[in-house]
Amino acid sequence: MSKYAFLIPFYNHPERINELIEALKAYKLDIIIVDDGSDEASKEVLKGIKDILLLERKSNGGKGAAMKDGFKFAIDNGFTHVLQVDADFQHDVSMIDEFLDVSNKFPKDIICANPIYDNTAPKSRVYGRKITNFWVAINTLSLEIKDAMCGFRIYPLKEIDEAVKISKTNRMEFDIEILVNAHRCGIKTRWIDIRVSYEAGGISHFKMLRDNAMISLMHARGFFSLPKFIFQRFVSKNNSELWWKKNEKSNSFFLRLTLILTQYLPAFLLNFVIKIVVLFYYLTSKKERDSIEEFRLNLANFAGENVLKNTSVFGNFYQFGVAICDKFRVWKGKIGFQELDIVNVEYVKTELIGAKRGQILLTAHLGNIEICKKIAASVDGFEMVILAYDENVRKFNDIINEISKEKIRVLLVNELDVRAMLELKTIVDSGTHIGIMGDRVPINGDKFTNISFLGKEAKFNHGPYLIAGILGVKISSLWCQKINDKFRIEFTKIADEIKLSRDKATSVRPYLQNYVSELEHRCKQTPEQWFNFYDFWRQ
């Protein structure tokens, strides 16, 4: 059963402490005050307060040191949670019942105040918090922490134990660091808006030079520990060799990372951060390196060594990072048509825009197909739905939809049953095209064909060709490769009509071979833009 106490770090704040304690006693919870080496006058005030648990530190160690001692004292005395309240009484304690209610519902989460400032708040404090919250977002790769400095929180003591153990701060910066550590340890935070006011002439122990320097040092430590955090959060927990648990998940992860960083960082710093992340991913991802190495070896045996001239395994990782940045740029409207090189504009106009019936558009994890999705979403008369095989693709597009006014619809299909086919027929009959990754096999079912790719047999999904044949629609391939800093977009017709025989798998094989041959050609053009970071030939 949960047992709560108030925890007040105290240092030379005698002015309103009696008033604060009287307000807190209404909640009938134990009150722990940690005196962090206050002067004699303040100590006398504390000694005159009845019905409190007083923990005295011999010398001033800072707010963080007081909080750490308070946590230990609370645990030793059988408490499971503490509600931190600052001694200056600047917080609205009438909100305490709401904090306790939320904590009881979510006992393993940290319940935090999201401060709503009135006009008494110093501008320097407000702007300083914005800077701190910016760095917290960077160092957690998340926008979950709304305010890292407000000292009005409920901590679950058992859950934050690891976050406290790895703490390297003891002063004002502790309030910030503990939330970053907790987030990195997987502890959730929940937020409640609370009014905050500053008393005219109130005492603050915030030392502008010293504490800002300590906070900056803490942010720097967090920033330079990002690679380790990323490894623990993503790489080391993602060891599956199956594409649906690897590739789209990595796409989603890096896109969300870029989303957070690009909201705050200028372009030159963003590119620097992405390079660091990609380098760490490259150094710690042996299976992914081996998979790209095998791709390069097969490509060289198929097309000759010259096709790999001036390229490297790391190049694929680096270009993947660049592609992530480009994904964000295009969906934020920062890539204009002047950066596009659309090879067959007339085909687009006559076949795709304002079409009476949609067609199947096959894409691949080569180049940056997000550019084409953006065009489809922003050009009047060009309608497209993405057909996906697993939940990760939908989640990935949900992130895209967070940052763009134009929305992409994703249709999740595991089996091509009657219901799915009827829905697909409705889509194409409305003139909407269906985009499908042609280099993916479905998670369930046997709708794949073994076919030679770069000289070695690999599995390719023949489902899209069956769909085109059953629905009686055209099928084309869609490519977007970055060549000479321009996005080269090209549509290639596969067939106006897929003729199906009794042996459907055999009848679609020539069309599948057409797509695979085109994919081989694109691999030779831009080998470093092959973004299948798994064992493609043994999937």
Side-chain angles (χ1 to χ4, degrees):
M1 184 175 178
S2 298
K3 185 179 179 182
Y4 289 79
F6 293 110
L7 176 59
I8 304 172
F10 180 91
Y11 178 65
N12 293 344
H13 260 299
E15 291 78 10
R16 301 191 67 189
I17 190 65
N18 279 293
E19 183 184 356
L20 173 61
I21 297 303
E22 286 304 311
L24 297 181
K25 283 182 178 180
Y27 296 93
K28 302 187 184 306
L29 297 178
D30 288 288
I31 301 172
I32 302 170
I33 297 181
V34 182
D35 177 19
D36 189 29
S38 296
D39 58 27
E40 290 303 318
S42 296
K43 288 181 183 294
E44 286 301 316
V45 172
L46 292 180
K47 289 177 181 178
I49 301 175
K50 296 180 180 180
D51 302 321
I52 62 170
L53 298 173
L54 180 61
L55 175 63
E56 295 183 289
R57 290 175 48 83
K58 292 182 179 180
S59 60
N60 177 251
K63 185 178 184 180
M67 288 298 298
K68 290 174 185 177
D69 283 357
F71 291 151
K72 184 178 185 304
F73 180 84
I75 292 171
D76 291 344
N77 284 273
F79 295 101
T80 61
H81 296 72
V82 293
L83 197 163
Q84 175 188 344
V85 184
D86 285 349
D88 55 7
F89 204 177
Q90 64 174 308
H91 301 122
D92 181 5
V93 297
S94 68
M95 300 289 293
I96 287 174
D97 277 335
E98 185 174 348
F99 274 71
L100 293 172
D101 287 343
V102 175
S103 181
N104 278 307
K105 291 177 182 177
F106 305 98
K108 295 184 178 182
D109 300 347
I110 301 175
I111 314 304
C112 300
N114 182 34
I116 307 299
Y117 295 104
D118 59 21
N119 55 13
T120 64
K123 296 297 182 184
S124 59
R125 292 286 186 93
V126 175
Y127 294 134
R129 297 179 101 88
K130 289 182 178 180
I131 294 172
T132 280
N133 292 333
F134 147 65
W135 279 110
V136 168
I138 298 297
N139 290 334
T140 59
L141 306 180
S142 169
L143 298 175
E144 181 180 330
I145 298 176
K146 297 181 179 181
D147 185 278
M149 299 185 75
C150 186
F152 194 84
R153 304 167 182 167
I154 295 180
Y155 290 104
L157 295 173
K158 179 181 177 181
E159 282 71 22
I160 66 168
D161 182 61
E162 183 60 29
V164 174
K165 285 180 180 177
I166 62 177
S167 168
K168 294 180 171 60
T169 65
N170 285 320
R171 294 196 174 273
M172 291 292 189
E173 70 274 22
F174 176 79
D175 279 341
I176 306 165
E177 185 205 34
I178 189 65
L179 289 190
V180 173
N181 289 352
H183 179 89
R184 290 186 174 190
C185 290
I187 302 171
K188 290 184 178 180
T189 52
R190 297 184 182 274
W191 298 87
I192 299 173
D193 290 347
I194 187 170
R195 295 189 304 274
V196 177
S197 60
Y198 284 80
E199 182 183 4
I203 297 173
S204 172
H205 296 298
F206 187 90
K207 306 299 182 184
M208 188 64 67
L209 184 60
R210 182 197 67 185
D211 288 323
N212 275 325
M214 296 296 288
I215 290 173
S216 297
L217 179 61
M218 179 209 63
H219 289 319
R221 279 198 303 264
F223 179 76
F224 286 109
S225 66
L226 268 177
K228 180 180 178 182
F229 169 52
I230 291 168
F231 176 76
Q232 293 172 337
R233 171 81 173 269
F234 172 66
V235 178
S236 64
K237 294 183 180 180
N238 189 24
N239 295 319
S240 171
E241 293 186 55
L242 301 177
W243 66 263
W244 54 86
K245 293 183 180 179
K246 175 72 76 171
N247 200 67
E248 270 77 22
K249 188 173 182 179
S250 64
N251 265 312
S252 176
F253 172 81
F254 279 108
L255 182 66
R256 191 170 289 282
L257 167 61
T258 307
L259 167 61
I260 293 167
L261 297 181
T262 49
Q263 284 187 313
Y264 295 106
L265 297 185
F268 76 93
L269 190 53
L270 169 65
N271 290 333
F272 173 72
V273 172
I274 292 296
K275 286 177 182 177
I276 292 175
V277 173
V278 168
L279 177 61
F280 194 80
Y281 182 43
Y282 170 79
L283 293 175
T284 57
S285 304
K286 185 179 185 302
K287 289 182 180 179
E288 287 80 358
R289 292 200 310 270
D290 291 345
S291 296
I292 296 299
E293 187 61 63
E294 182 180 16
F295 161 75
R296 289 170 54 81
L297 177 63
N298 292 339
L299 180 59
N301 290 336
F302 178 78
E305 292 287 344
N306 284 339
V307 76
L308 297 177
K309 187 176 180 181
N310 299 322
T311 67
S312 65
V313 173
F314 177 75
N316 290 74
F317 287 79
Y318 174 70
Q319 290 299 331
F320 179 72
V322 171
I324 290 291
C325 293
D326 289 337
K327 289 175 193 291
F328 188 84
R329 285 206 304 135
V330 70
W331 285 105
K332 290 294 287 183
K334 295 182 179 180
I335 290 180
F337 279 92
Q338 70 276 7
E339 292 185 61
L340 306 181
D341 177 18
I342 303 177
V343 175
N344 36 12
V345 177
E346 287 305 315
Y347 181 84
V348 176
K349 290 180 179 179
T350 58
E351 295 287 334
L352 302 178
I353 296 178
K356 292 182 179 180
R357 294 199 79 208
Q359 61 175 276
I360 306 299
L361 299 177
L362 292 182
T363 62
H365 289 79
L366 181 139
N368 200 335
I369 203 62
E370 294 301 321
I371 309 298
C372 299
K373 289 182 186 178
K374 166 67 175 180
I375 294 173
S378 57
V379 173
D380 290 339
F382 193 150
E383 302 291 337
M384 184 165 67
V385 169
I386 305 300
L387 184 64
Y389 298 123
D390 78 304
E391 186 69 12
N392 283 325
V393 181
R394 187 193 61 78
K395 291 178 180 178
F396 172 68
N397 281 277
D398 284 348
I399 299 171
I400 288 292
N401 287 338
E402 288 179 21
I403 63 176
S404 175
K405 295 180 181 179
E406 298 90 6
K407 307 302 180 185
I408 285 289
R409 181 185 170 196
V410 176
L411 181 63
L412 190 62
V413 175
N414 286 325
E415 295 290 342
L416 293 176
D417 54 17
V418 174
R419 182 179 178 180
M421 291 305 300
L422 288 174
E423 186 167 4
L424 294 177
K425 183 178 186 303
T426 301
I427 290 171
V428 296
D429 285 347
S430 69
T432 300
H433 308 293
I434 301 174
I436 306 175
M437 285 292 179
D439 58 345
R440 285 290 186 261
V441 294
I443 300 173
N444 303 312
D446 57 355
K447 291 181 175 60
F448 63 85
T449 296
N450 290 311
I451 199 164
S452 178
F453 171 60
L454 299 182
K456 289 181 66 176
E457 193 172 85
K459 293 178 181 178
F460 281 87
N461 181 16
H462 63 239
Y465 310 89
L466 297 180
I467 294 173
I470 294 170
L471 297 180
V473 297
K474 299 177 181 179
I475 184 169
S476 302
S477 57
L478 172 59
W479 311 93
C480 180
Q481 298 155 276
K482 196 170 186 179
I483 300 175
N484 296 326
D485 293 325
K486 278 201 167 188
F487 297 97
R488 182 182 176 88
I489 298 172
E490 188 170 1
F491 294 84
T492 303
K493 183 185 294 185
I494 295 177
D496 287 331
E497 181 184 6
I498 298 287
K499 297 180 178 180
L500 299 176
S501 63
R502 180 173 298 179
D503 185 350
K504 292 182 174 59
T506 300
S507 62
V508 301
R509 188 180 182 89
Y511 308 106
L512 174 57
Q513 182 63 67
N514 186 331
Y515 169 81
V516 172
S517 297
E518 190 65 33
L519 180 59
E520 289 173 332
H521 171 64
R522 305 289 169 173
C523 289
K524 289 188 289 184
Q525 286 182 327
T526 54
E528 288 187 331
Q529 293 179 40
W530 173 262
F531 298 143
N532 285 307
F533 292 95
Y534 65 97
D535 193 338
F536 191 83
W537 284 266
R538 295 182 185 84
Q539 59 180 304

